[in-house]
Amino acid sequence: MNSSIFRLLGALSLSLLAACGTSTPKSVTPTVVAGYEGVEDEGFYIQPVDAELLSADRARAEVEYTADDAPGTIVIDTFARKLFLVQENGRALRYAIAVGREGLSFRGNGVIGRKAKWPSWQPTANMIRTRPDLYAEYAGGRAGGLDNPLGARAMYLYRGGRDSMFRIHGTIQNETIGHATSAGCIRLFNQDAMDLYERIDLGARVKVRSLEESLAIEGPYMDDAWGRAVPETPENIARKPQDAQMLVEQEAAMAAAATKQAELDAQNAAKAEKKRLSVCKRKGIDEADCPPLPELALADGTTSNG
């Protein structure tokens, strides 16, 4: 369950209003957050990030930084699902991330050995072996673009002069940011991946925190009802079951709305079928040879509503 439920529920509600309502819904202009607008880049258009996905400290921000990492270091906290670019004077730029299974496999230090805009992508042999349902069709690679898993930018982590297969990259799956995901390394909103890409040079040091370091610096984190990492505070602990219940109710409402729409569609189809057969009977056309309503209407010189 995640924030896409809200969008699905909203879309379904609008479709029901269009089908059943007597008034036209007012258009709503989505809120655009500065730094996360839609952007044209290298011939591709990156959609703006929904404001709701940027709540709870998931928008890029300059923050106080209390750890002793050197300026210019990229620090990744897979437990708090944050990435920091350390600045001077005890400051850092904080980015929200999603952490895939491959992202959990790396600990310790490395350097950025390669950077790429709109990179191509090829799953590793291990990825194909463990999840052929996801990766087998891409064994030959996939060109850069909006549907590429590495998004608009990729930064490749090297260790000992060799590619570690660990990547920091963009994604079009904005709803996954803040989550632990089933695949990938370290994902950022494409807008954040582009921002980070421009701020770092080849050779930039990368540090991935251990659990002990994360607890000491960030404190304990937990997953909320949507599966997003949030501080493990009494307030968040108390809120999680309430939000989980709300999501259950929303899913039930979505299911009920879908059932109602299906029933309405079936009723309309039955009415149309009855009308079709009635027209054919009036015209003396055998039921087995009765054409669809649009053809009947054209033959009769009327509309299907006539």
Side-chain angles (χ1 to χ4, degrees), residues 43-281:
F44 299 104
Y45 179 71
I46 299 169
Q47 294 286 342
V49 179
D50 291 348
E52 192 277 331
L53 297 177
L54 294 165
S55 61
D57 294 334
R58 286 186 294 276
R60 178 173 69 248
E62 183 177 313
V63 297
E64 182 181 2
Y65 192 76
T66 58
D68 59 359
D69 302 290
T73 303
I74 299 168
V75 178
I76 298 169
D77 192 320
T78 60
F79 305 97
R81 292 176 206 146
K82 298 176 181 178
L83 182 151
F84 298 92
L85 178 58
V86 183
Q87 309 289 289
E88 300 282 352
N89 302 317
R91 307 294 289 176
L93 289 174
R94 183 199 63 214
Y95 304 82
I97 61 174
V99 182
R101 185 171 51 243
E102 288 77 16
L104 293 171
S105 64
F106 188 96
R107 290 288 181 270
N109 302 320
V111 298
I112 298 298
R114 185 161 76 92
K115 298 166 58 180
K117 296 182 178 181
W118 296 101
S120 59
W121 171 78
Q122 186 171 20
T124 64
N126 184 59
M127 292 168 70
I128 296 171
R129 182 173 62 255
T130 56
R131 291 299 304 273
D133 56 315
L134 289 177
Y135 303 120
E137 65 177 302
Y138 306 119
R142 193 169 189 172
L146 289 172
D147 59 352
N148 188 293
L150 294 183
R153 302 289 188 273
M155 290 146 275
Y156 300 78
L157 186 63
Y158 279 55
R159 189 153 59 179
R162 300 183 63 178
D163 187 353
S164 69
M165 308 307 293
F166 185 98
R167 282 91 173 90
I168 302 167
H169 61 87
T171 182
I172 59 170
Q173 294 178 301
N174 290 335
E175 67 281 358
T176 65
I177 299 301
H179 293 252
T181 62
S182 62
C185 286
I186 301 299
R187 302 183 196 177
L188 301 92
F189 295 116
N190 269 325
Q191 287 86 341
D192 282 347
M194 294 166 68
D195 183 85
L196 180 63
Y197 182 98
E198 295 300 327
R199 293 178 185 274
I200 66 170
D201 297 320
L202 291 179
R205 181 171 177 259
V206 179
K207 174 183 177 179
V208 180
R209 286 175 178 167
S210 66
L211 175 58
E212 293 73 21
E213 289 171 325
S214 178
L215 289 172
I217 300 168
E218 303 298 327
Y221 267 68
M222 58 177 276
D223 282 357
D224 67 8
W226 288 267
R228 303 173 302 202
V230 295
E232 191 176 302
T233 63
E235 293 78 13
N236 284 333
I237 292 171
R239 184 175 176 177
K240 182 172 181 177
Q242 299 170 8
D243 287 343
Q245 180 60 34
M246 179 185 67
L247 288 175
V248 169
E249 292 170 357
Q250 288 175 341
E251 288 188 326
M254 289 174 61
T259 298
K260 184 176 181 180
Q261 183 63 48
E263 291 173 351
L264 180 62
D265 291 343
Q267 291 171 7
N268 289 336
K271 289 178 182 178
E273 177 65 4
K274 183 177 180 180
K275 181 176 181 179
R276 182 180 75 90
L277 295 177
S278 176
V279 172
C280 283
K281 183 176 182 180

